[in-house]
Amino acid sequence: MYGIDLLMKEHENILDFTAFLRKISAGILNGEPVDGKLLRECVEFGRNYADKHHHGKEEKILFQFMLDHMGPVAEKLIKNGMLVEHDLGRLYLSELEKAVEEYEKDPVDDHKLDIISNAVGYGALLKRHIDKEDEVVYTFAVRALTEEHKKAVDEETETFEKQAEEQGVQDHYLTWLHEKIK
């Protein structure tokens, strides 16, 4: 199924990103300077690629089909699980951004700790979240959605992806990521 295959491929990019955030955090812990510009770029990647682009496809397309057509189990899984975790990820990014701003105003260890804890917390959340989606949510969708609904998910995903390509979303963020992790 194209839509789910694409989401899983994006998960690989997001996991690479969270490993990069962890590396930055370990560097700060070991005395490297806090690079506010780089951390803001990380927040931007998290917000625009991981959340707006990737979670956008999940929330607007796949999860919506699951909610509309798969009953109360899907509703509980999506509303009480996946969407809550998406919101928690957004909170980690906001707190990371705030911690960077506070550190730049007052470079004390408390603010450094807030940077590290929010960056590492975000990565840990996404790793567990991705495991659940890959192993439970997506397999449930493939098993329970009708062929007609799977086809509709694929078509809507393709449209979403083409619109993002026209705006240069994938190229911009994946180029940035690959330059940083090489």
Side-chain angles (χ1 to χ4, degrees):
M1 190 174 155
Y2 167 77
I4 288 177
D5 292 342
L6 179 62
L7 292 170
M8 290 178 78
K9 177 63 180 156
E10 289 173 352
H11 280 167
E12 295 172 20
N13 297 324
I14 293 166
L15 289 172
D16 287 344
F17 167 65
T18 62
F20 178 62
L21 262 182
R22 188 171 181 86
K23 181 180 175 186
I24 292 169
S25 297
I28 293 169
L29 185 65
N30 289 316
E32 292 178 18
V34 172
D35 184 341
K37 179 181 180 295
L38 177 60
L39 287 163
R40 281 188 188 79
E41 289 172 1
C42 289
V43 168
E44 180 186 339
F45 181 94
R47 284 185 176 149
N48 291 310
Y49 183 82
D51 192 33
K52 185 178 177 186
H53 182 69
H54 175 78
H55 290 159
K57 283 193 290 280
E58 288 176 338
E59 293 176 4
K60 294 174 184 169
I61 303 169
L62 179 63
F63 292 174
Q64 195 58 55
F65 270 89
M66 293 174 75
L67 289 169
D68 291 345
H69 305 288
M70 291 174 51
V73 173
E75 184 170 341
K76 186 175 183 180
L77 179 64
I78 300 302
K79 287 186 176 178
N80 298 334
M82 300 301 98
L83 296 178
V84 170
E85 291 178 1
H86 286 186
D87 283 343
L88 187 53
R90 293 172 184 123
L91 176 63
Y92 273 119
L93 288 174
S94 292
E95 292 299 309
L96 174 58
E97 182 176 50
K98 189 182 337 176
V100 171
E101 291 169 4
E102 291 300 315
Y103 180 81
E104 289 176 338
K105 289 181 207 168
D106 184 21
V108 297
D109 286 346
D110 277 353
H111 298 310
K112 222 186 259 192
L113 182 59
D114 289 340
I115 290 169
I116 293 168
S117 63
N118 283 293
V120 171
Y122 178 71
L125 169 73
L126 286 183
K127 184 174 182 342
R128 285 188 314 274
H129 179 78
I130 286 168
D131 287 345
K132 284 184 247 181
E133 285 180 339
D134 287 354
E135 300 299 321
V136 177
V137 178
Y138 295 168
T139 56
F140 180 40
V142 168
R143 203 172 53 248
L145 286 172
T146 66
E147 290 304 315
E148 178 184 340
H149 293 141
K150 290 178 196 176
K151 183 178 183 214
V153 167
D154 286 347
E155 289 171 354
E156 288 187 30
T157 300
E158 192 171 340
T159 299
F160 187 107
E161 198 66 9
K162 284 181 182 175
Q163 289 171 344
E165 283 175 9
E166 289 170 4
Q167 296 169 10
V169 171
Q170 301 92 321
D171 184 53
H172 174 75
Y173 290 104
L174 295 179
T175 297
W176 175 86
L177 178 65
H178 294 128
E179 286 176 359
K180 298 300 178 188
I181 63 174
K182 62 179 172 180

